């Protein structure tokens, strides 16, 4: 259980049906704390990302994308709002703060994949995923950034068939992670496609993915993809996928 004395800046923590709400210090927009990103103030005045929201001490929340944060950092706006939020002039903002946040968000996704695999909620291997998808047991489908277009397309179709969603926009998400990275995360060889067969696991992984992909934006998300169109459509596809899956 979190210690409320560790969060003196989070006055906007009134709850609604979604849970604790926080306010972005840059835009003033309010959102669920699980959607935003926490910045923590260290004892020496250093500001560092705390995407898991577990670091003690003062914290401030942001809900902007990586490009927007880079602009706010370069123009000095970020330091200004954090100085007011933390009520201190002794702030040290690392120049690579946006990249540090992206790396932490990526790690959260990879860690979540590993945990769901240990719990038996992950299906890998083209044939196994195809069979599970056609049988209606796949709740989320992911493709590595360097997955072949034909293999991804076939699994997407199998998922639509098993989900009784033929003709819809339902398809797997091309994540900005290569098969090599996915293989390391799951401790297996040549992980190109990943199926999630548990609704709760799909929701947890989807939440981590959404936050990461929103932050890095479609341009950065597509940088590691096999084709630029895959990355550019990842977020739009993800929204359509979530809408269809929630009705399965």
């Amino acid at each position: 259980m979190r210690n409320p004395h560790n969060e003196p800046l989070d006055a906007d923590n009134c709850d609604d049906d979604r849970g604790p709400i926080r306010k972005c210090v840059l835009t003033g927009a309010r959102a669920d704390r699980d959607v935003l990103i926490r910045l923590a103030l260290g004892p020496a005045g250093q500001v560092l990302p705390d995407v898991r929201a577990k670091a003690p001490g003062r914290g401030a929340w942001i809900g902007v994308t990586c490009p927007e944060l880079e602009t706010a950092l370069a123009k000095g706006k970020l330091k200004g709002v954090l100085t007011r939020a933390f009520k201190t002039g002794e702030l040290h903002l690392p120049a690579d703060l946006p990249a540090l946040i992206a790396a932490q968000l990526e790690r959260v996704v990879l860690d979540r994949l590993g945990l769901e695999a240990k719990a038996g909620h992950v299906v890998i291997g083209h044939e196994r995923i195809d069979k599970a998808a056609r049988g209606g047991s796949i709740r989320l489908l992911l493709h590595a950034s360097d997955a072949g277009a034909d293999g991804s397309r076939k699994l997407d179709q199998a998922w639509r068939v098993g989900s009784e969603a033929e003709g819809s926009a339902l398809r797997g998400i091309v994540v900005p992670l290569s098969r090599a990275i996915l293989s390391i995360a799951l401790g297996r060889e040549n992980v190109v496609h990943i199926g999630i067969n548990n609704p709760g696991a799909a929701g947890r992984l989807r939440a981590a993915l959404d936050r990461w992909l929103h932050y890095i934006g479609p341009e950065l998300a597509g940088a590691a993809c096999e084709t630029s169109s895959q990355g550019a459509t990842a977020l739009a596809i993800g929204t359509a996928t979530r809408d269809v899956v929630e009705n399965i």
Side-chain angles (χ1 to χ4, degrees), residues 76-100:
K77 182 179 179 180
L78 180 62
K79 186 171 185 178
V81 297
L82 291 180
T83 297
R84 292 190 294 273
F86 288 126
K87 296 181 174 59
T88 177
E90 299 299 322
L91 285 182
H92 302 287
L93 289 171
D96 60 345
L97 179 62
L100 291 174

Side-chain angles (χ1 to χ4, degrees), residues 2 4 6-14 21-23 25 33 38-39 53 57-61 85-86:
R2 293 181 59 81
N6 287 340
E7 294 188 298
L9 299 182
D10 300 328
D12 300 298
N13 51 0
C14 54
I21 300 299
R22 300 290 186 265
K23 183 171 71 173
V25 295
R33 53 168 281 168
R38 185 176 188 263
L39 300 178
R58 293 185 169 186
W61 300 79
F86 288 126

Side-chain angles (χ1 to χ4, degrees), residues 174 176 217-238:
V174 180
E219 291 184 4
L220 291 179
C225 292
E226 184 181 44
T227 67
S228 58
S229 61
Q230 287 177 325
T233 58
L235 294 180
I237 291 171

